[in-house]
Structure formats: C-alpha cells, structure tokens
C-alpha cells in the first residue's frame, strides 16, 4: 500500500512498482482518471483501465492530464485516444457500464465486465426493526444532481406516505445539498441528512429498505452494503441497478419515468414488512455468493494472466 498526495510522488511510486523484474510482464489495473497518465509514466507496463460509470457522449469525466498531472474535465470522445487505444482490454464494473463503454468509446477495443467486490460483515448487524410504525428508508449518496435524491424526497413527501415513512440520507454533502434542504422544508418531507458514515453495514442495520434513484449508476455499492445488513433495496430500472437487485427476490425495481411507481413501491413495502425481511436475507445470500472481494480479485487476476499469456497464430485466427 502506497499513499501519495501529489503528482510527483505518484509518478515516483508508479515507476518503482512497475520496474520490470527479470523480464516478467507488468500489468497495472488502472481507472479512467489515471489511465493516460499511467501509460505515460510506465510505458513498459500493460495498463488495464477500469471505468466506474455508465458513460455517455455528454458526460464530463474528471481525468489526470498526463503532461501536467492536473485534474481536468473531458468528455469520453475527447480523451487522448491516440494513447488510450493501446490498452489491451478495458473493464466496466457492470454489464451496463461495459455496454455503455462499447457504445460511446469505440476506440477502447476489447471490453469486459467485472463487478466490484464489497466486504460483507461476518454476522448480520444487530438491529431492532419494528414490525409496525414508520417504514425506515435509507439512501446512500453524495448530494449531487445525478444521484436524483430529489425524486426520493418528493416520493416520501407524498400525502399518502409522509406520515408513514422516514428517509435518512447518508453521504457527503455535495453541490445539490442546499437545494435538497430547501426542498425538504418546502414539502415538509420526513427526511434527515445523516452525513458520511464509514461503517455503512452497521449504520444500515436498523432500516427496512434502501432506496436509490440514480439512472447512471455504474454499480451501486450502497445496495451491497445494505445487503450485508440483510436490508433489501428499491432501485430504478436503469444503469446497473437491475443487475444487482433481483426484482421481487432481493429487492424491488421501479420505473424511474413514473413517479407514481416509486410511491406505489414504497406503499407496497410499508404494507408487507415480512416480505422485506425475506428479501433482505436473500439479498445477503446473493452478496455473500457473488459480490465478494475474493471473487473480484480472482477475476482481475485471471484477466491479467490471460493478457500476459502468449497466443499462437492458430488461436488468433
């Protein structure tokens, strides 16, 4: 583990750890922010960029300029593809992420998907969820526009739900924080801002449901953190969310284009707490079986070994 705080130290560490050892190939699992810089600093290494978004033509990405080391904003088509196209393979962290990369980054070449790995607590965190009373709903997101938290605020402020539901938002304050606070006051919405918590599975243990609203979620770690606490999730049918939530088994999927569908899903959750408990246990079982750091590491190791293996002409044809 190397912790660096500036561009100079980053270059020094990367050069040191990627120095060829007895002719053995060197691979760097990078990301879209540092990929071009990594290729420039360590040209002898095989750099595998990982994209953690569901990208589109208009989306602005923050990347490191390999010439200056400064963080700059670029659209996907304006990245330095003369350099990046040499990457042997790109990785999306979900099927949705990989599919968007294939569509909007035509110079990326071969693209595969490897879901993130998330540590699951060995035991379900102790909780005391009431069988009646308010439906306790959590959201995990920075208060930025693309997370669409305003849709969740409006839903729980619906007169049919406002006295029966409470929404707690976990995450750092972002550019949309004050606007959301104004919206909460305007609608007298039952919403609390909880700030950043490092122990999310423990914090989420007392909730009935996790809810999300983002349409371009590349993976959705909060869903897996909630699953670790045996809490099911309510997610929009967009981005990677439908990949990690099995509708009706580990959570619920709603139509993000229909505000009434979100309200209806919350109403269904309110009326059947027993179903939420069953879905939460199924969500934890799925997370333990699939979304583990060990599985994720094994897939990346397999990818690196495959890239380093010499290929015969016959195999290539």
């Amino acid at each position: 583990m190397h912790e660096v705080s500036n561009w100079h130290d980053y270059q020094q560490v990367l050069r040191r750890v990627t120095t060829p050892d007895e002719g053995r190939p060197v691979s760097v699992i990078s990301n879209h922010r540092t990929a071009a810089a990594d290729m420039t600093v360590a040209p002898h290494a095989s750099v595998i960029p990982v994209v953690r978004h569901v990208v589109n033509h208009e989306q602005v990405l923050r990347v490191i300029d390999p010439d200056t080391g400064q963080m700059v904003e670029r659209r996907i088509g304006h990245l330095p593809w003369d350099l990046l196209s040499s990457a042997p393979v790109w990785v999306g962290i979900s099927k949705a992420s990989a599919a968007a990369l294939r569509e909007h980054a035509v110079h990326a070449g071969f693209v595969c998907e490897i879901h993130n790995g998330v540590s699951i607590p060995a035991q379900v965190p102790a909780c005391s969820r009431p069988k009646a009373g308010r439906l306790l709903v959590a959201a995990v997101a920075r208060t930025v526009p693309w997370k669409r938290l305003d849709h969740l605020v409006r839903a729980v402020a619906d007169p049919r739900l406002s006295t029966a539901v409470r929404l707690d938002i976990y995450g750092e304050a972002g550019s949309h924080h004050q606007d959301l606070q104004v919206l909460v006051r305007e609608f007298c919405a039952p919403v609390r801002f909880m700030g950043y918590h490092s122990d999310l599975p423990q914090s989420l243990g007392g909730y009935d449901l996790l809810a999300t609203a983002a349409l371009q979620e590349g993976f959705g770690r909060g869903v897996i953190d909630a699953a670790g606490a045996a809490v099911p999730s309510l997610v929009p049918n967009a981005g990677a969310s439908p990949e990690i939530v099995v509708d009706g088994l580990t959570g619920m999927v709603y139509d993000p284009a229909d505000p009434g569908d979100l309200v209806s899903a919350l109403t269904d959750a309110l009326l059947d707490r027993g179903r939420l408990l069953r879905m939460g246990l199924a969500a934890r079982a799925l997370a333990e079986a699939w979304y583990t750091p060990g599985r994720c590491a094994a897939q990346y190791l397999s990818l690196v070994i495959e890239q380093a293996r010499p290929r015969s002409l016959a195999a290539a044809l």
Side-chain angles (χ1 to χ4, degrees):
M1 178 69 71
H2 302 272
E3 293 187 10
V4 297
S5 59
N6 58 70
W7 174 235
H8 176 267
D9 289 349
Y10 181 85
Q11 293 178 87
Q12 294 299 313
V13 169
L14 185 61
R15 288 192 182 104
R16 185 166 67 250
V17 300
T18 58
T19 299
D21 180 15
E22 299 179 356
R24 295 173 182 170
V26 177
S27 294
V28 176
I29 306 298
S30 185
N31 62 70
H32 73 272
R33 288 190 175 182
T34 64
D38 293 342
M39 290 178 177
T40 302
V41 175
H44 51 274
S46 174
V47 175
I48 299 176
V50 180
V51 178
R52 303 184 180 279
H53 300 281
V54 178
V55 297
N56 58 50
H57 282 306
E58 298 301 319
Q59 184 177 0
V60 175
L61 302 173
R62 301 188 72 222
V63 300
I64 293 178
D65 185 317
D67 296 323
T68 66
Q70 299 297 312
M71 193 72 76
V72 295
E73 294 185 344
R74 297 283 187 271
R75 287 185 170 85
I76 190 76
H78 297 159
L79 297 179
W81 287 107
D82 54 335
L83 182 63
L84 293 173
S85 59
S86 64
V89 61
W90 288 67
V91 177
I93 61 171
S94 61
K95 288 182 172 62
S97 175
L101 190 57
R102 294 186 189 101
E103 179 180 357
H104 299 292
V106 294
H107 301 293
F110 182 70
V111 178
C112 70
E113 71 243 7
I114 298 179
H115 286 97
N116 283 344
V118 180
S119 295
I120 305 297
Q123 302 293 329
V124 176
C127 65
S128 56
R129 298 176 200 151
K131 295 182 179 180
R134 283 182 180 265
L135 181 76
L136 303 181
V137 182
V140 178
R142 289 184 65 231
T143 49
V144 293
W146 76 273
K147 289 292 188 177
R148 290 169 31 103
L149 290 169
D150 55 307
H151 289 256
L152 299 182
V153 171
R154 293 176 188 277
V156 299
D158 186 284
R160 292 165 290 182
L161 291 174
S162 60
T163 60
V165 174
R166 190 183 79 213
L167 172 66
D168 290 348
I169 300 174
Y170 289 84
E172 295 177 348
S175 61
H176 201 41
H177 194 78
Q178 289 187 345
D179 291 339
L180 284 172
Q181 289 179 316
V182 170
L183 188 66
V184 167
R185 290 194 295 268
E186 178 183 348
F187 284 91
C188 297
V191 176
R192 301 190 305 179
F193 295 93
M194 310 301 290
Y196 173 77
H197 283 226
S198 59
D199 58 341
L200 270 179
Q202 298 296 327
S203 299
L204 296 176
Y207 288 88
D208 298 299
L209 185 68
L210 179 93
T212 72
L215 303 182
Q216 292 180 278
E217 201 69 77
F219 176 69
R221 170 167 182 159
V223 170
I224 308 304
D225 280 327
V231 175
S233 292
L234 172 62
V235 301
N237 188 19
S241 296
E243 294 178 41
I244 59 177
V245 172
V246 182
D247 191 20
L249 179 63
T250 67
M252 297 177 287
V253 178
Y254 67 91
D255 180 1
D258 180 4
D261 200 35
L262 175 54
V263 171
S264 294
L266 288 169
T267 302
D268 290 343
L270 176 65
L271 296 176
D272 195 345
R273 305 292 179 90
R275 182 174 179 237
L276 294 182
L277 290 173
R278 294 190 295 272
M279 289 194 296
L281 293 174
R284 179 177 166 90
L286 179 63
E288 288 179 311
W290 184 245
Y291 299 109
T292 64
R295 185 274 314 159
C296 181
Q299 285 188 281
Y300 275 110
L301 180 60
S302 176
L303 180 63
V304 168
I305 292 173
E306 180 63 26
Q307 296 306 309
R309 180 182 298 139
R311 300 187 181 187
S312 67
L313 178 60
L317 295 177

